[in-house]
């Protein structure tokens, strides 16, 4: 009786510390001690609970995190599909053209992840935001993918990081949303992440920096000038950005991308099963 009382206390402690994993480990530990002559059930519960919380819990967290990661990616893909819809003159959605636009945008997001080691979730989310802004400004998915790739290449090619990439895309989204280029975004938000933004913009449009600043002040720099800038950035930086992405210095980033792919594959396998359980619960 004393042994059983101690076992109960040990099991409660294991559950308190390790939750479900601690409980499962504690029960297993008690089972082992019960089979051993003179076994200490309390010690078995405590030891098993500690082992369970250390081994089972991280695995469970990884599985849960993978499912959440895959769901987040899936939601971003739904948003991207909506952002790249192509409509006819009568306002109806052209399904074939929309699918082609979505596939082009997804291909671009996947490619910048592969070539520049941009995290998957950032690539899709950024492509969604920029695609919506460009198409809303009268452009198309080709304009959006070119701008996305070129600006990220410029950030990567000048040793910028993930936060720089996010801020640069935000600046582009604001520019396309306004339909013109302002000094605030070009020399401010974009210039902070890509210091050569002003000079490169001027060079791409055959202007001096003084002429560019004057035009920016007058509000006469539009999306046509931005397109020239984007093309010039791609020509100059895509090659070097790929080289940096493939370098030994980026091994850690490539490892994280591969780990994300593992999470995504596992999460996609579990996602449907989880949805079925939730549907059963609703019914």
């Amino acid at each position: 009786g004393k042994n059983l009382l101690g076992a109960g206390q040990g099991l409660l402690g294991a559950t308190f510390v390790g939750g479900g994993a601690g409980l499962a480990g504690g029960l297993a530990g008690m089972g082992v001690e019960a089979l051993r002559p003179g076994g200490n059930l309390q010690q078995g519960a405590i030891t098993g609970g500690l082992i369970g919380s250390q081994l089972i819990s991280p695995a469970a967290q990884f599985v849960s995190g993978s499912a959440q990661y895959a769901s987040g990616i899936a939601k971003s893909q739904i948003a991207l599909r909506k952002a790249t819809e192509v409509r006819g003159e009568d306002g109806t959605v052209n399904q074939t053209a929309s699918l082609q636009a979505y596939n082009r945008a997804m291909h671009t997001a996947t490619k910048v992840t592969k070539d520049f080691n941009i995290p998957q979730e950032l690539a899709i989310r950024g492509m969604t935001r920029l695609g919506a802004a460009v198409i809303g400004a009268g452009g198309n998915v080709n304009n959006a993918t070119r701008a996305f790739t070129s600006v990220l290449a410029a950030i990567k090619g000048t040793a910028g990081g993930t936060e720089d990439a996010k801020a640069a895309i935000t600046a582009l989204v604001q520019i396309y949303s306004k339909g013109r280029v302002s000094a605030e975004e070009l020399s401010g938000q974009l210039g902070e992440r890509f210091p050569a933004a002003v000079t490169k913009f001027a060079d791409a449009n055959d202007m001096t920096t003084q002429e560019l600043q004057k035009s920016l002040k007058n509000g006469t720099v539009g999306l046509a000038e931005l397109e020239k800038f984007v093309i010039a950035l791609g020509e100059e930086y895509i090659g070097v950005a790929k080289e940096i992405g493939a370098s030994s210095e980026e091994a850690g980033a490539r490892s994280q991308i591969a780990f994300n792919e593992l999470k995504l594959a596992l999460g996609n396998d579990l996602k449907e099963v989880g949805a079925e359980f939730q549907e059963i619960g609703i019914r």
Side-chain angles (χ1 to χ4, degrees):
K2 184 178 180 181
N3 202 4
L4 287 174
L5 178 62
Q9 292 172 341
L11 197 59
L12 285 174
T15 305
F16 178 76
V17 173
L23 173 62
L27 289 171
M30 285 174 58
V32 171
E33 287 295 313
L35 294 174
R36 190 172 66 83
N40 187 325
L41 297 183
Q42 182 181 32
Q43 189 59 48
I46 294 173
T47 303
L50 290 174
I51 293 173
S53 63
Q54 292 298 314
L55 296 180
I56 300 173
S57 215
Q61 289 172 5
F62 175 72
V63 170
S64 175
S66 297
Q68 291 176 2
Y69 183 77
S71 294
I73 293 290
K75 290 176 186 177
S76 294
Q77 289 173 328
I78 293 171
L80 179 58
R81 192 180 296 276
K82 180 66 177 178
T84 53
E85 278 185 349
V86 178
R87 296 182 177 273
E89 293 182 359
D90 60 355
T92 59
V93 176
N94 184 322
Q95 298 294 344
T96 301
S98 295
L99 179 60
Q100 291 174 345
Y102 169 76
N103 288 338
R104 175 70 188 275
M106 270 302 301
H107 174 75
T108 299
T110 301
K111 191 164 177 58
V112 298
T113 293
K114 178 178 178 295
D115 291 344
F116 307 155
N117 300 322
I118 302 295
Q120 290 91 327
E121 63 276 14
L122 172 60
I124 298 176
R125 196 178 304 123
M127 188 69 252
T128 300
R129 294 177 62 218
L130 187 57
V134 171
I135 293 172
N140 55 49
V141 72
N142 293 326
N143 301 128
T145 56
R146 181 162 50 239
F148 188 66
T149 303
S150 296
V151 170
L152 289 183
I155 295 296
K156 191 74 176 184
T158 52
T162 300
E163 290 304 313
D164 298 310
K166 289 168 63 176
I169 294 302
T170 297
L172 273 186
V173 168
Q174 292 178 354
I175 290 171
Y176 278 105
S177 297
K178 291 179 179 178
R180 62 179 179 82
V181 183
S182 70
E184 178 186 355
E185 285 93 18
L186 183 61
S187 59
Q189 291 173 279
L190 187 57
E192 286 179 5
R193 308 296 178 165
F194 176 52
V198 173
T199 55
K200 295 295 182 183
F201 197 104
D203 290 343
N205 286 280
D206 296 321
M207 303 167 71
T208 66
T209 54
Q210 290 78 14
E211 290 171 335
L212 174 59
Q213 295 290 0
K214 183 178 179 181
S215 296
L216 288 171
K217 186 176 181 180
N218 293 334
T220 57
V221 182
L223 300 183
E225 288 78 15
L226 178 63
E227 186 74 5
K228 293 178 182 178
F229 170 61
V230 163
I231 292 171
L233 289 184
E235 292 173 349
E236 182 170 356
Y237 288 106
I238 286 178
V240 68
K242 287 182 178 180
E243 185 178 346
I244 292 172
S247 68
S248 58
E249 288 76 12
E250 288 275 302
R254 290 195 299 275
S255 176
Q256 183 60 52
I257 296 298
F259 183 68
N260 287 347
E261 289 176 351
L262 175 62
K263 286 168 57 180
L264 183 59
L266 177 61
N268 282 332
D269 288 340
L270 296 172
K271 185 170 62 173
E272 299 300 326
V273 177
E276 287 294 328
F277 276 112
Q278 290 176 355
E279 290 295 332
I280 290 172
I282 292 172
R283 296 191 197 106

